[in-house]
């Protein structure tokens, strides 16, 4: 996307701070509500970026009913037409990237380059799905001359309840909505109230290219989410968010035994082996994998384990790379790489974890440059920190900090490094750093994670051709890859046993 287009939008926004207003979208119609909530700019909390609705339980019931009725037709709509509609929606989304990028930075806080990348990635997700969907939807035929013939067909599930988080609201919503509708399901989406504006505009862009009722958007308090996850007409839940919230969702959904895809928290380790590449380019990748989006990424590097033989050298090089890359400030300003945290509560949590480590004797090193002290003091900013001399049992190591701080711990050999990395209730992603790909792969195979990067970490290394998701308390199911589409399909086997075949009576 040409920078000048985004720059022009930034200049226009700087001249006028008029709040925008978004609405719910139910059965193809804009739906206004009596009660509204405001979303502030985390870099300038006194500035209201926009207002979003607060729907009621009755609203979400109505949206589900419309989606349930729309499913009866949409599920039978030819794949060719569904693809054509998605292509139009995707093209409309791409055309609006400059405006959406600036809005995202204003409501979320992330650097403008980060916001732009998120929107570009959303288009990439759509393009990938359009490329592979025909193959995914094909029947699987199993032939055996002795036993007969089997056909495995793929059928949509029904109404999907999609609940998306605030840290990457566009991509983590797109990877639910698009797989759901392209496979013939209908959706009711509830975004996070901490980043509701841009994602709502994106959802409406998609919804306008679909028949009424196929894509519905609601906002609201806990009760709205509870209705969406417990309603008997909802067949599938796609949720990205915290593990504690997921436990409530699982309980709410249990009454109807709903299918679920849960992408949850992570406490992702990076392991630097004795032969890790400590070049500036390599270490900068790790810095970005740690502090992009102010560390508010589920797959960010949240614990770094370094072989003791290179520990001191690594610290020096990491600090240097971080100081070169990190520029803390308003995400709309040129050159800023780390914006504020999204909200005050998150800032206070990260401060609490850092202070707990300090009280236990840990050494706290501030990283990077603060671009504007006045803005920094007023917004939800935290200067990124490196934490050393810290115990494996410290809260900052055990808990998902979801912010711009990272503990670094030495290990004596691979066995200890692997043990420390696996010492967590989480298992989302991880990374191994080594000049020897075979050695790195051998170590990666021993890690308890759903996705392991080699010599990179997080957003810079994610590849949507393969499934992504967690083990242990980091989730259930997978997104991306063909598996992310199959997650929204039921497998239905049709059997043609060979005439006269003897039934199996024992094993």
């Amino acid at each position: 996307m040409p920078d000048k287009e985004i720059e022009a939008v930034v200049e226009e926004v700087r001249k006028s701070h008029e709040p925008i207003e978004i609405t719910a979208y139910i059965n193809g119609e804009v739906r206004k509500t009596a009660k509204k909530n405001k979303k502030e700019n985390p870099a300038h909390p006194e500035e209201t970026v926009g207002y979003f609705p607060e729907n009621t339980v009755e609203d979400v019931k109505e949206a589900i009913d419309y989606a349930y009725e729309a499913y009866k037709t949409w599920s039978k709509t030819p794949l060719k037409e569904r693809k054509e509609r998605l292509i139009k929606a995707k093209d409309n989304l791409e055309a609006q990237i400059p405006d959406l990028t600036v809005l995202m930075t204003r409501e979320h806080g992330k650097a403008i380059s980060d916001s732009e990348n998120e929107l570009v990635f959303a288009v990439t997700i759509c393009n990938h799905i359009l490329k592979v969907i025909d193959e995914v939807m094909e029947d699987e035929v199993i032939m055996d001359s002795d036993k007969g013939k089997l056909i495995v067909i793929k059928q949509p599930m029904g109404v999907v309840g999609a609940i998306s988080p605030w840290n990457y609201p566009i991509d983590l919503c797109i990877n639910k909505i698009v797989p759901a509708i392209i496979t013939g399901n209908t959706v009711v989406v509830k975004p996070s109230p901490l980043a509701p504006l841009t994602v709502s505009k994106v959802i409406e862009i998609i919804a306008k290219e679909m028949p009424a009722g196929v894509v519905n958007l609601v906002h609201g308090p806990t009760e709205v989410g509870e209705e969406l996850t417990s309603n008997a007409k909802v067949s599938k839940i796609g949720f990205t968010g915290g593990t504690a919230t997921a436990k409530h969702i699982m309980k709410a959904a249990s009454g109807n035994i709903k299918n679920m895809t849960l992408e949850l928290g992570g406490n992702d380790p990076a392991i630097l082996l004795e032969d890790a590449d400590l070049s500036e380019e390599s270490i900068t990748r790790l810095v970005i994998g740690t502090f992009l989006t102010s560390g508010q990424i589920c797959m960010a590097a949240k614990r770094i384990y370094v072989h003791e033989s290179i520990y001191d050298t690594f610290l020096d090089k990491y600090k240097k790379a971080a100081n070169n890359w990190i520029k803390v400030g308003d995400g709309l300003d040129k050159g800023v790489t780390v914006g504020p945290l999204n909200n005050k509560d998150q800032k206070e949590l990260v401060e609490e974890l850092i202070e707990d480590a300090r009280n236990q004797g840990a050494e706290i090193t501030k990283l990077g440059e603060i671009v504007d002290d006045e803005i920094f003091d007023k917004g939800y900013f935290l200067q990124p920190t490196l934490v050393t001399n810290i115990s494996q049992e410290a809260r900052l190591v055990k808990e998902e900090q979801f912010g711009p701080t990272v503990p670094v711990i030495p290990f004596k050999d691979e066995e200890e490094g692997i043990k420390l990395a696996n010492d967590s209730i989480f298992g989302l992603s991880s990374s191994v750093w080594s000049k020897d790909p075979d050695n790195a792969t051998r170590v990666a195979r021993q890690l308890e994670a759903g996705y392991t990067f080699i010599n990179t970490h997080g957003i810079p290394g994610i590849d949507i051709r393969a499934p992504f998701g967690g083990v242990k308390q980091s989730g259930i199911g997978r997104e991306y890859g063909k598996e992310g589409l199959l997650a929204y399909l039921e497998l239905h086997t049709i059997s043609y046993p060979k005439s006269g075949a003897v039934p199996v009576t024992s094993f």
Side-chain angles (χ1 to χ4, degrees):
M1 184 62 55
D3 289 341
K4 64 181 181 181
E5 292 185 38
I6 294 177
E7 288 175 9
V9 179
V10 171
E11 288 306 311
E12 190 63 32
V13 165
R14 291 194 190 282
K15 295 175 185 176
S16 172
H17 293 311
E18 286 297 316
I20 69 166
E21 181 177 343
I22 62 168
T23 61
Y25 195 82
I26 299 174
N27 197 39
E29 296 180 351
V30 167
R31 184 70 61 87
K32 293 190 176 182
T33 59
K35 187 173 182 180
K36 303 173 186 175
N37 298 296
K38 70 177 182 179
K39 179 65 186 77
E40 83 281 13
N41 182 337
H44 307 276
E46 74 285 355
E47 175 192 331
T48 298
V49 180
Y51 296 92
F52 61 101
E54 183 168 310
N55 290 104
T56 64
V57 169
E58 290 307 311
D59 291 334
V60 72
K61 284 182 178 178
E62 186 178 3
I64 292 168
D65 287 344
Y66 279 122
Y68 188 80
E69 290 303 312
Y71 170 76
K72 296 173 183 178
T73 302
W74 183 246
S75 61
K76 296 179 176 62
T77 300
L79 177 59
K80 182 176 182 292
E81 180 182 337
R82 298 202 296 262
K83 288 170 63 179
E84 289 170 350
R85 289 178 178 272
L86 176 58
I87 289 169
K88 289 180 181 178
K90 182 259 300 182
D91 290 345
N92 291 340
L93 170 59
E94 191 167 19
Q96 297 184 48
I97 284 180
D99 289 319
L100 294 169
T101 292
V102 176
L103 179 59
M104 170 62 72
T105 290
R106 292 179 63 217
E107 73 159 319
H108 184 282
K110 63 176 67 181
I112 200 159
S113 58
D114 192 3
S115 295
E116 182 185 8
N117 287 339
E118 179 173 358
L119 283 151
V120 170
F121 193 62
V123 173
T124 301
I125 294 171
C126 293
N127 284 330
H128 171 73
I129 287 172
L130 287 164
K131 181 179 179 181
V132 302
I133 187 60
D134 287 286
E135 181 182 348
V136 170
M137 295 297 293
E138 283 182 355
D139 294 347
E140 179 186 359
V141 180
I142 303 170
M143 295 290 295
D144 187 295
S145 58
D146 294 326
K147 297 179 181 178
K149 176 182 176 182
L150 296 170
I151 302 176
V152 181
I153 64 174
K154 288 77 174 271
Q155 297 175 317
M157 295 179 170
V159 178
V160 173
I163 304 175
S164 59
W166 53 263
N167 62 323
Y168 266 74
I170 307 301
D171 292 346
L172 298 177
C173 188
I174 284 287
N175 67 8
K176 296 169 181 57
I177 295 176
V178 175
I181 61 176
I182 198 67
T183 52
N185 303 281
T186 57
V187 294
V188 179
V189 193
K190 181 186 179 299
S192 167
L194 296 174
L197 307 179
T198 316
V199 68
S200 294
K201 285 186 168 292
V202 170
I203 293 166
E204 191 167 340
I205 288 170
I206 297 172
K208 284 181 176 179
E209 296 301 331
M210 305 296 157
V214 172
V215 177
N216 305 272
L217 167 67
V218 296
H219 296 264
T222 302
E223 305 87 75
V224 168
E226 289 176 348
E227 180 62 34
L228 187 57
T229 54
S230 63
N231 191 292
K233 290 182 178 178
V234 176
S235 300
K236 163 90 180 184
I237 299 295
F239 171 77
T240 300
T243 301
T245 302
K247 292 177 181 179
H248 290 293
I249 289 174
M250 293 179 77
K251 289 179 182 178
S254 64
N256 309 120
I257 317 295
K258 299 184 191 301
N259 187 293
M260 309 188 80
T261 297
L262 306 176
E263 199 263 271
L264 310 178
N267 193 3
D268 308 63
I271 304 176
L272 281 86
L273 302 179
E274 191 171 8
D275 66 341
D277 179 7
L278 299 184
S279 66
E280 182 178 359
E281 179 185 356
S282 177
I283 298 302
T284 299
R285 286 199 300 273
L286 181 53
V287 168
I288 295 171
T290 307
F291 295 115
L292 189 68
T293 318
S294 300
Q296 300 168 121
I297 302 177
C298 57
M299 67 178 100
K302 301 182 183 71
R303 299 175 286 148
I304 300 177
Y305 297 101
V306 183
H307 192 278
E308 61 184 13
S309 66
I310 60 170
Y311 182 75
D312 291 336
T313 302
F314 168 80
L315 289 180
D316 290 341
K317 291 182 177 291
Y318 191 89
K319 292 173 187 176
K320 181 180 178 181
N323 289 333
N324 286 338
W325 184 78
I326 295 171
K327 301 291 185 291
V328 184
D330 183 343
L332 291 181
D333 291 341
K334 285 185 178 180
V336 166
T337 55
V338 176
L341 280 85
N342 173 264
N343 58 83
K344 185 179 179 181
D345 288 347
Q346 193 61 33
K347 176 187 175 183
E348 291 177 350
L349 171 61
V350 179
E351 287 176 326
E352 179 184 318
L353 293 175
I354 294 173
E355 190 59 28
D356 178 75
R358 192 194 309 275
N359 290 339
Q360 294 185 44
E363 181 178 343
I364 315 296
T365 303
K366 293 184 177 181
L367 303 170
E369 172 190 350
I370 297 173
V371 175
D372 187 318
D373 288 329
E374 183 178 353
I375 291 176
F376 184 90
D377 291 338
K378 292 180 179 179
Y380 303 144
F381 291 95
L382 276 179
Q383 186 168 359
T385 58
L386 181 72
V387 183
T388 53
N389 191 32
I390 185 171
S391 164
Q392 174 74 6
E393 301 306 313
R395 287 184 61 197
L396 184 61
V397 178
K398 288 294 188 181
E399 299 180 23
E400 180 183 25
Q401 68 268 40
F402 223 62
T405 183
V406 65
V408 183
I409 297 175
F411 63 88
K412 62 184 178 183
D413 53 36
E414 285 182 7
E415 182 179 0
E416 183 185 26
I418 293 166
K419 180 181 179 181
L420 291 171
N422 288 338
D423 181 24
S424 175
I425 63 171
F426 300 107
L428 188 57
S429 75
S430 58
S431 62
V432 180
W433 302 70
S434 169
K435 293 177 182 177
D436 182 345
D438 292 336
N439 192 37
T441 302
R442 181 180 56 78
V443 172
R445 288 179 180 276
Q446 300 175 69
L447 297 179
E448 297 167 356
Y451 201 109
T452 298
F453 303 93
I454 303 297
N455 295 328
T456 190
H457 197 115
I459 295 295
I462 192 70
D463 190 327
I464 60 175
R465 293 176 301 168
F468 178 86
V471 301
K472 297 192 281 190
Q473 291 192 34
S474 283
I476 298 171
R478 293 294 182 268
E479 296 179 320
Y480 302 132
K482 294 175 183 176
E483 291 79 1
L485 290 161
L486 289 169
Y488 290 85
L489 291 164
E490 296 284 12
L491 302 182
H492 178 178
T493 300
I494 301 172
S495 176
Y496 300 81
K498 186 175 180 180
S499 177
V502 178
V504 176
T505 57
S506 62
F507 293 91

